Amino acid sequence: MFSVFVNGKFCKDPKLAKAGDFYFSVKMPGDTNNLVGSNVSAVNVDQIPGLNTLGISAARIDFAPYGQNPPHTHPRATEILVVLEGTLLVGFVTSNPNNTLISKVLNKGDVFVFPIGLIHFQFNIGKTNAIAFAGLSSQNPGVITIANAVFGSDPAINPGFLAKAFQVDKKVVEDLQKKFWMDSN
């Protein structure tokens, strides 16, 4: 007997599938007591094995007042976001050379789409908590949080290189790298 892997995940024999392979709960709010004031509860193939090969996943995003889901990208998925509570400023930036910001204020019941691979964000501009649900077009969309990747990489990207790329003093980059490295380790 041999095992079959698809998308890097084990494919279970359909005769052995059970309800737990297709279930996960996100009814409890995530902890937003952190530096960005948000919590993303991912619901992908790691939480629901039955999603493997189905091309979908989801996430619950909880926001404290003025919390944010910082600029990030999903390299393997388009995202559609539905606001359940609160008011969010959301947006994405188009690709080079235009780098146009496309943004909108969303209220309860509003929906917004973030195209695959584009840098996007959500920011709770309200004085109360906010909740949103996202659907993603991959069972394993991936996420790259821009600041964490650039300033918190291990090993660190050369600060002189980043200073030139961002057109700032090298000391600014070194300070950011210290902050992001300390926050992630």
Side-chain angles (χ1 to χ4, degrees):
M1 182 162 172
F2 63 95
S3 298
V4 176
F5 288 82
V6 177
N7 299 319
K9 301 292 179 182
F10 173 71
C11 282
K12 191 176 210 176
D13 182 337
K15 294 179 217 145
L16 302 176
K18 57 189 185 310
D21 296 326
F22 299 89
Y23 172 83
F24 186 79
S25 177
V26 291
K27 62 185 166 194
M28 299 302 296
D31 182 7
T32 60
N33 187 21
N34 54 54
L35 293 173
V36 295
S38 73
N39 184 283
V40 178
S41 300
V43 184
N44 57 42
V45 70
D46 292 329
Q47 289 76 34
I48 301 178
L51 284 176
N52 198 24
T53 76
L54 297 183
I56 59 168
S57 61
R60 174 186 172 140
I61 308 134
D62 292 283
F63 299 87
Y66 308 108
Q68 62 176 272
N69 190 5
H72 63 282
T73 183
H74 303 289
R76 296 179 293 276
T78 291
E79 176 179 342
I80 186 166
L81 183 86
V82 180
V83 177
L84 299 182
E85 291 181 21
T87 303
L88 299 178
L89 170 64
V90 304
F92 64 87
V93 179
T94 64
S95 56
N96 296 345
N98 296 339
N99 297 316
T100 303
L101 173 63
I102 307 291
S103 66
K104 182 117 179 92
V105 173
L106 303 181
N107 295 292
K108 182 178 180 176
D110 290 341
V111 179
F112 197 83
V113 174
F114 305 100
I116 188 170
L118 294 184
I119 295 172
H120 60 281
F121 63 89
Q122 299 100 28
F123 175 54
N124 180 4
I125 58 175
K127 296 177 183 177
T128 61
N129 291 341
I131 302 170
F133 268 84
L136 298 113
S137 64
S138 171
Q139 66 273 354
N140 187 16
V143 65
I144 301 167
T145 305
I146 306 307
N148 296 26
V150 172
F151 299 112
S153 68
D154 186 15
I157 299 171
N158 181 291
F161 172 80
L162 289 177
K164 188 171 184 177
F166 285 99
Q167 301 174 25
V168 297
D169 187 83
K170 183 178 171 185
K171 178 75 172 122
V172 171
V173 172
E174 291 169 341
D175 289 344
L176 285 167
Q177 286 178 320
K178 285 179 191 168
K179 178 170 183 38
F180 278 88
W181 195 85
M182 287 173 38
D183 290 344
S184 66
N185 292 303

